[in-house]
């Protein structure tokens, strides 16, 4: 207990919110056991009261603030006792007896005491990192409680803290503790976005060297009388709490609630600093979640903008074992964060600008390389069968990350590259005394290429099976549909008629390869079945081709 209040005293004197928040961390088992061994569940309220009110070593604060901190640490000690007991039972193989739901409830009381202190104006804005700790561990302990209920109550499966999505088979409505944690974090969000805090007269101004003031925030002149100055406001905690809400709502598959939070932030932009003024770690995570929201709404340009901004601010991947050893845990976290961003940015850019990831981009991330490298190779080759096989092989991860359908739409890029190979294989022809690429490609060649690329047998021919004619592979109509889709993607539509046609491909645009859309022009010529109109239709065909 003495060590805890020594840290509290040091942080309070220096007005360092992050050091103060460390006294509320429910982690590091030796420290927690030391706290529980220094007192007993029956005597710790009296010991805490002596340390906070009567001990002359405790920082000089107002009576109301001292009482508020006493309530916080009283609830915190109850949580520590419950947490240590649950961990000991779990370590001894008696996990069914561990009361993890009780641990979460005790931590919830700690967070409620923090919220009460801030709402009453007892805690200064430099202490907002305590809210970061309260919200984060409310989410973690709630998931731990749900996991215990699932394991010993038979309701739902476990969880992976590094994944924002719920696991397979976790139906909605069975995360009771996590849903309660979401409501608790939402209260913290409301506390920050509606900040009306005014420093009490006895509280000195916050030091500009504290962690809350290290981002060079502009001081606003003449702030409203019922609001705190923006540099001394709890609004600087908004994006951190918003990220916690996003992570929780994603786990609960409640994406509509994320949009509600975004609307609240937009409504408060007039009295908030710009996003670029907030800590980089908050901005990177916020843009990541906003990018995923746009990605799931199929607003791919907006998703690309948000994810690219997040990736640009995220530290570069470490290169070599030496760099990793020097960077330590922070380097591994940066690599993992970039990997998560790229998981959604790669499919997004595949659709928006048809850009494939390079080998150098995927090399630092073995998991991404194993997932996307086979797809990229098949897209470049125009290998439709290989693309489908690679997509199916990674289907488990792609479906869980919700990128499967987006990657499936990338099949059009493989078809386009396959058609480009057909064009290049057509060779050269003489036009006006010049040797140029052949620009008239019969659709039959596209149909055969589609069947070869798909690995289907028969090439759309009639195959006798038990006396019944069965057509397998891609037929002429489907091949025409694929070519027409290329025309639509290239934004150069031409009038179409049925019976026979030739595809006219712009040789200059196609040579650009992957990264630029080919220019495909389709001209369908109608040949009347009546012999009396055959000459007339032939003249129309020649006229259209010349045009």
């Amino acid at each position: 207990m003495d060590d805890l209040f020594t840290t509290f005293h040091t942080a309070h004197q220096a007005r360092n919110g992050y050091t103060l928040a460390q006294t509320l961390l429910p982690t590091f088992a030796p420290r927690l056991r030391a706290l529980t061994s220094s007192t007993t569940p029956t005597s710790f309220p009296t010991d805490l009261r002596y340390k906070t009110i009567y001990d002359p070593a405790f920082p000089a604060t107002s009576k109301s603030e001292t009482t508020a901190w006493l309530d916080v640490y009283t609830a915190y000690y109850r949580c520590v006792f419950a947490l240590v007991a649950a961990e000991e039972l779990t370590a001894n193989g008696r996990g069914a007896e561990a009361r993890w739901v009780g641990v979460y409830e005790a931590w919830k009381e700690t967070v409620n005491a923090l919220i009460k202190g801030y709402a009453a104006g007892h805690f200064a804005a430099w202490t907002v990192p305590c809210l970061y700790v309260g919200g984060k561990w409310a989410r973690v302990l709630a998931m731990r409680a749900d996991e215990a209920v699932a394991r010993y109550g038979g309701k739902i499966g476990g969880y992976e803290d590094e994944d924002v999505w719920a696991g397979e088979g976790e139906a909605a409505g069975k995360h009771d503790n996590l849903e309660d944690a979401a409501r608790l974090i939402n209260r913290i969000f409301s506390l920050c976005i509606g900040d009306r805090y005014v420093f009490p007269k006895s509280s000195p101004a916050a030091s500009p060297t504290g962690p809350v003031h290290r981002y060079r925030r502009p001081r606003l002149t003449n702030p409203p009388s019922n609001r705190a100055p923006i540099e001394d406001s709890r609004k600087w905690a908004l994006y951190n709490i918003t990220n916690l809400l996003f992570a929780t709502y994603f786990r609960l598959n409640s994406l509509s609630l994320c949009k509600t939070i975004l609307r609240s932030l937009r409504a408060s932009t007039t009295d908030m600093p710009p996003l670029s003024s907030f800590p980089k770690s908050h901005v990177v995570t916020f843009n990541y979640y906003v990018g995923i929201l746009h990605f799931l709404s199929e607003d791919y340009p907006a998703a690309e903008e948000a994810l690219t901004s997040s990736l640009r601010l995220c530290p570069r991947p470490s290169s070599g074992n030496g760099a990793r050893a020097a960077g330590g845990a922070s380097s591994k976290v940066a690599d993992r964060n970039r990997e998560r961003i790229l998981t959604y940015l790669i499919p997004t850019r595949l659709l928006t600008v048809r850009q494939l990831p390079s080998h150098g981009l995927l090399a630092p991330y073995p998991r991404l390389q194993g997932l996307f490298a086979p797809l990229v190779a098949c897209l470049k080759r125009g290998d439709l069968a290989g693309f489908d096989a690679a997509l199916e092989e990674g289907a488990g991860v792609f479906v869980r990350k919700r990128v499967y359908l987006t990657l499936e739409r990338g099949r059009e890029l493989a078809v386009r590259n396959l058609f480009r190979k057909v064009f290049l294989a057509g060779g050269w022809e003489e036009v006006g005394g010049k040797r140029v690429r052949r620009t008239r490609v019969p659709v039959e060649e596209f149909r055969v290429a589609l069947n070869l690329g798909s690995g289907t047998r028969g090439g759309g021919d009639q195959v006798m099976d038990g006396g019944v004619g069965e057509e397998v592979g891609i037929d002429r109509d489907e091949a025409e549909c694929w070519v027409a889709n290329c025309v639509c993607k290239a934004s150069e539509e031409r009038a179409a008629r049925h019976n026979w046609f030739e595809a006219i491909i712009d040789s200059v645009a196609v040579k650009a390869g992957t990264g630029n859309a080919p220019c495909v022009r389709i001209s369908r010529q109608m040949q009347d079945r009546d012999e009396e109109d055959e000459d007339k239709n032939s003249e129309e065909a020649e006229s259209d081709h010349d045009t």
Side-chain angles (χ1 to χ4, degrees):
M1 182 180 291
D2 292 336
D3 292 340
L4 183 144
F5 281 101
T6 299
T7 305
F8 180 90
H9 176 80
T10 303
H12 205 279
Q13 290 296 110
R15 297 195 173 273
N16 191 319
Y18 291 96
T19 302
L20 181 64
Q22 291 179 4
T23 63
L24 294 174
L25 286 174
T27 56
F28 191 58
R31 184 179 71 89
L32 298 182
R33 291 192 179 94
L35 287 176
T36 56
S37 63
S38 63
T39 184
T40 62
T42 56
S43 63
F44 82 86
T46 304
D47 295 339
L48 284 176
R49 182 172 293 276
Y50 171 77
K51 283 289 184 182
T52 54
I53 297 179
Y54 302 110
D55 190 352
F58 191 80
T61 58
S62 63
K63 183 177 179 180
S64 58
E65 182 180 355
T66 301
T67 304
W69 283 121
L70 175 62
D71 294 339
V72 170
Y73 282 102
T74 300
Y76 173 70
Y77 260 78
R78 291 196 183 98
C79 179
V80 168
F81 279 109
L83 178 60
V84 171
E87 287 183 342
E88 290 179 350
L89 289 172
T90 303
N92 294 330
R94 300 163 58 189
E97 302 177 21
R99 298 185 64 255
W100 286 105
V101 176
V103 174
Y104 165 70
E105 292 294 337
W107 183 257
K108 178 181 175 182
E109 293 301 320
T110 305
V111 179
N112 283 332
L114 280 171
I115 293 175
K116 181 180 178 181
Y118 281 104
H122 299 320
F123 302 150
W126 62 267
T127 64
V128 291
C130 295
L131 292 177
Y132 303 165
V133 173
K136 174 185 176 180
W137 286 99
R139 175 176 178 267
V140 172
L141 292 176
M143 289 192 293
R144 186 68 182 270
D146 286 332
E147 180 189 18
V149 172
R151 181 173 299 175
Y152 303 108
K155 290 185 178 181
I156 57 176
Y159 72 93
E160 296 179 9
D161 192 30
E162 67 177 23
D163 194 355
V164 296
W165 302 107
E168 296 182 3
E170 297 186 8
K174 294 185 178 181
H175 298 275
D176 297 336
N177 294 290
L178 188 58
E179 291 175 357
D180 186 69
R183 291 188 287 271
L184 185 64
I185 300 172
N186 205 336
R187 288 181 58 199
I188 301 177
F189 177 83
S190 301
L191 181 73
C192 295
I193 201 170
D195 184 18
R196 298 294 190 276
Y197 182 84
V198 178
F199 281 112
K201 294 181 180 180
S202 60
S203 178
S207 169
T209 60
V212 176
H213 296 270
R214 62 183 178 183
Y215 299 105
R216 300 197 178 193
R217 300 160 185 167
R219 177 175 290 274
L220 301 183
T221 58
N222 300 325
S225 58
N226 65 333
R227 289 180 178 268
I230 193 62
E231 61 274 3
D232 298 324
S233 173
R234 289 192 299 267
K235 290 184 181 294
W236 293 101
L238 267 178
Y239 284 103
N240 183 284
I241 303 303
T242 298
N243 296 335
L244 288 175
L245 279 175
F246 282 166
T248 306
Y249 290 151
F250 272 56
R251 291 289 304 176
L252 296 172
N253 290 325
S254 302
L255 301 185
S256 59
L257 297 179
C258 295
K259 298 178 181 178
T260 303
I261 297 298
L262 288 177
R263 285 194 293 268
S264 299
L265 289 175
R266 295 192 191 102
S268 302
T269 54
T270 55
D271 56 354
M272 282 178 57
L275 181 60
S276 58
S277 300
F278 283 81
K280 187 184 295 186
S281 59
H282 300 185
V283 178
V284 168
T285 308
F286 177 76
N287 283 333
Y288 167 70
Y289 282 115
V290 170
I292 295 180
L293 288 173
H294 288 307
F295 179 89
L296 297 178
S297 301
E298 297 188 359
D299 187 358
Y300 296 113
E304 180 185 4
E305 180 181 359
L307 292 171
T308 303
S309 176
S310 180
L311 185 67
R312 187 180 299 114
L313 293 175
C314 198
R316 293 287 180 180
S318 55
S319 57
N321 296 331
R324 287 184 180 275
S330 60
S331 177
K332 294 180 180 179
V333 170
D335 290 351
R336 188 166 63 249
N337 289 340
R338 289 178 65 88
E339 181 178 328
R340 294 176 184 174
I341 297 170
L342 289 172
T343 301
Y344 295 93
L345 184 57
I346 289 174
T348 300
R349 293 186 67 85
L350 182 65
L351 293 186
T352 55
V353 294
R354 299 188 178 185
Q355 184 179 29
L356 300 177
S358 63
H359 175 74
L361 178 65
L362 297 177
Y365 316 104
R367 283 191 291 185
L368 290 185
Q369 192 169 25
L371 290 172
F372 289 109
L375 292 175
V376 171
C378 294
L379 286 173
K380 290 181 178 180
R381 294 196 307 265
D383 184 1
L384 303 181
F387 177 83
D388 294 339
L391 194 62
E392 187 64 25
E393 183 179 356
V397 178
F398 293 145
V399 170
R400 182 162 56 88
K401 297 292 186 179
R402 305 194 181 190
V403 299
Y404 182 87
L405 295 178
T406 304
L407 290 173
E408 194 176 36
R409 294 173 62 178
R411 196 173 191 270
E412 298 175 356
L413 185 58
V415 173
R416 194 205 68 176
N417 287 339
L418 181 63
F419 285 175
R420 179 173 179 268
K421 285 189 172 184
V422 173
F423 163 74
L424 295 176
W428 304 81
E429 62 183 1
E430 295 289 337
V431 176
K434 295 182 180 180
R435 188 168 178 265
V436 298
R437 286 280 186 183
R438 184 184 61 158
T439 57
R440 289 183 174 85
V441 184
V443 138
E444 181 64 18
E445 295 185 13
F446 290 129
R447 186 186 71 84
V448 172
L450 286 171
N451 281 290
L452 291 175
S454 302
T456 54
R457 64 184 181 92
D461 299 330
Q462 294 289 333
V463 179
M464 299 303 295
D465 186 8
V468 180
E470 179 186 359
E471 188 173 11
V472 297
I474 296 176
D475 58 11
R476 183 183 181 86
D477 291 338
E478 187 174 353
E480 291 180 10
C481 180
W482 277 110
V483 176
N485 284 337
C486 289
V487 174
C488 180
K489 294 294 182 182
S491 300
E492 286 200 23
E493 300 180 358
R494 288 293 182 266
R497 298 174 186 175
H498 198 54
N499 267 6
W500 68 276
F501 71 91
E502 290 178 342
I504 305 174
I505 305 177
D506 189 326
S507 59
V508 176
V510 174
K511 287 179 183 179
T514 301
N516 294 286
C519 180
V520 181
R521 297 198 300 271
I522 300 296
S523 177
R524 287 188 175 181
Q525 308 300 330
M526 181 67 183
Q527 185 177 19
D528 200 313
R529 294 180 181 179
D530 298 332
E531 295 182 358
E532 59 184 15
D533 294 335
E534 184 177 353
D535 295 338
K536 179 179 179 180
N537 289 326
S538 298
E539 293 177 0
E540 291 177 356
E542 293 177 1
S543 175
D544 286 346
H545 281 307
D546 293 340
T547 303

